Amino acid sequence: MLQSPSTVVLGDVHLTRSVPRAVSEDLARLVDAHPGARIVCAGDLFDLSADLPRLPLPRAVEAVFEAHPAAKAAFGRHLARGGELWLVSGNHDAALALSDFRSALVTALDPPAEARARLRTTPWFFREGDLHIEHGHLYDPDNAPAHPLVVGEASLGVHFVEQFIAPTGAFRYLNMNDETPLRLFLSAFSFYGPRAPYVIYRYFHAAISAILRSGRSYQRRADDEAPLGAEEAARFITELGIPPELVGTMLPLGARPTMASLSRTFSRLYFDRVLSTLAMSAGLSAAALGKKRAGGAAFSMGALAMTLSWARGHNRYAGSVAEQLAEGAKRIADATGARLVVFGHTHREALTDRYANTASFAFPRNAPGRPYLEIEQAYGVPRAVRRYLPMEPKEARV
């Protein structure tokens, strides 16, 4: 058997009670294939915000591991046999940063006392020499929190998970965050059949709620988090041994949250097209009822607004998250001297000399297997190598 690499990084497993066991069984195979290695989960190992947002953390973690016993057993074996398990907080498992979450993990995995130090969690990033690992959602405006160390005001993405995906169980949309609403509405009927009208209703409920919470209202609540952010930064520096100057350099590099702006939230949710469609529908209805002048005016205004919206692109945000994270990685490398920045979050592969993205272990898209990275050292410089864990033919791709 080949000697295991020193560091293996995977991301976006999104363990919920609804994720097929094939995902966690493959995760267990990957862990078992790398004894003694440092296994780093670069965010969103769990998806408690979608699956169990209202349960106490200990019970929520226990419920996920009950659904995925192979992953639980593999993590426990890995720690007991001398391996390391490092978990990065992501936008879907931000609570991982809380002390209650770590306690729940220790209780669930039950490693020997001497192995507990090899289970590490971070609310933001890990930094070892020239290698920088974090989830990457801080550089995506739709998912950037008001402060990277505060589990506080929900981002637009987390808001939709809690207000749309969790109540409907529409987990398939976790992998479709850059699609247009029209594409999502049409797919609801093929994904969820008779439940589609309820799924669409919950989408609009979440969208209207997001708009009402955005802008100045959001900013006031976010500003209240600043003192807590300063306290958490001091704790982060002490507990993870992060140089204070590094934290000071990193803080301004994140994206401004979409919900800090009413107009950006309105545009991001394509509400210009929603209102244009309503105007055209109302115009046609008025014309059919004999009010041709008013109906024609309403239809014309709606059609003009729709044309202007489409002139900005059919899908205004396709691919933008991947581009934003690539730019965020460049800012980190330039500002902090990192030789390699590793993110997850986008569910899309990326691999250059200075930036690598794990892609999603759970949602491999058209990859030849479940994607992950091995980190090698070439003359003291960290280098990411793309690997794929083969899936059994009987496994259904998710």
Side-chain angles (χ1 to χ4, degrees), residues 201-220:
Y201 156 73
R202 287 298 311 193
Y203 173 87
F204 276 106
H205 179 276
I208 294 170
S209 173
I211 289 174
L212 293 175
R213 293 177 60 85
S214 66
R216 292 182 180 179
S217 174
Y218 173 93
Q219 196 59 56
R220 282 195 300 270

Side-chain angles (χ1 to χ4, degrees), residues 337-361:
R339 304 290 289 272
L340 176 63
V341 177
V342 178
F343 289 157
H345 185 61
T346 66
H347 293 197
R348 286 173 168 78
E349 297 179 12
L351 188 61
T352 67
D353 289 342
R354 299 177 76 193
Y355 169 55
N357 196 291
T358 63
S360 172
F361 189 83

Side-chain angles (χ1 to χ4, degrees), residues 107-119:
T107 299
L109 300 179
D110 193 26
E114 56 86 22
R116 294 183 180 184
R118 295 195 291 273
L119 172 60

Side-chain angles (χ1 to χ4, degrees), residues 15-18 45-68 72 92-93 95-96 98 100-101 103-105 107-108:
L15 288 181
T16 69
R17 294 171 300 168
S18 300
L45 171 62
F46 299 95
D47 205 336
L48 302 184
S49 58
D51 192 27
L52 297 162
R54 294 176 177 83
L55 274 187
L57 280 177
R59 178 62 193 124
V61 172
E62 182 183 358
V64 172
F65 279 137
E66 285 174 355
H68 300 285
K72 174 183 175 180
H92 287 281
D93 57 6
L96 188 147
L98 302 176
D100 287 352
F101 203 120
S103 297
L105 278 174
T107 299

Side-chain angles (χ1 to χ4, degrees), residues 153-353:
E153 187 62 24
S155 66
L156 183 64
V158 171
H159 172 85
F160 265 82
V161 168
E162 294 178 347
Q163 301 297 321
F164 168 51
I165 291 178
T168 61
F171 297 109
R172 295 189 69 163
Y173 290 126
L174 289 172
N175 202 37
M176 299 175 66
N177 60 355
D178 59 357
E179 297 286 353
T180 64
L182 179 60
R183 169 77 174 89
L184 301 181
F185 298 157
L186 295 176
S187 64
F189 291 93
S190 60
F191 290 167
Y192 302 108
R195 294 179 55 233
Y198 175 67
V199 171
I200 294 171
Y201 156 73
R202 287 298 311 193
Y203 173 87
F204 276 106
H205 179 276
I208 294 170
S209 173
I211 289 174
L212 293 175
R213 293 177 60 85
S214 66
R216 292 182 180 179
S217 174
Y218 173 93
Q219 196 59 56
R220 282 195 300 270
R221 295 189 301 274
D223 289 344
D224 290 340
E225 295 178 6
L228 179 58
E231 293 177 11
E232 291 301 321
R235 184 177 295 111
F236 176 65
I237 289 167
T238 300
E239 292 183 355
L240 275 85
I242 304 294
E245 60 274 15
L246 178 59
V247 173
T249 300
M250 290 284 299
L251 277 172
L253 301 182
R256 183 172 183 245
T258 298
M259 285 184 65
S261 166
L262 173 60
S263 61
R264 286 172 58 207
T265 304
F266 186 91
S267 176
R268 179 63 181 89
L269 297 174
Y270 290 92
F271 255 66
D272 51 342
R273 295 184 189 177
V274 172
L275 295 182
S276 298
T277 301
L278 291 176
M280 290 190 298
S281 299
L284 291 174
S285 298
L289 293 173
K291 299 179 179 180
K292 295 184 178 180
R293 173 177 265 178
F299 182 86
S300 297
M301 290 178 62
L304 176 61
M306 184 67 79
T307 300
L308 292 174
S309 177
W310 275 67
R312 298 172 59 192
H314 165 60
N315 187 342
R316 298 197 289 253
Y317 303 99
S320 63
V321 176
E323 294 166 2
Q324 288 159 348
L325 264 66
E327 177 57 31
K330 182 179 184 301
R331 292 199 299 271
I332 292 172
D334 290 344
T336 71
R339 304 290 289 272
L340 176 63
V341 177
V342 178
F343 289 157
H345 185 61
T346 66
H347 293 197
R348 286 173 168 78
E349 297 179 12
L351 188 61
T352 67
D353 289 342

Side-chain angles (χ1 to χ4, degrees), residues 23-37 39 65 68-85 108-109 111:
V23 174
S24 56
E25 289 169 355
D26 284 347
L27 175 60
R29 285 201 294 126
L30 178 68
V31 172
D32 286 339
H34 297 89
I39 306 291
F65 279 137
H68 300 285
K72 174 183 175 180
F75 284 152
R77 285 194 301 270
H78 188 71
L79 290 168
R81 296 172 181 175
E84 299 179 17
L85 180 61
L109 300 179

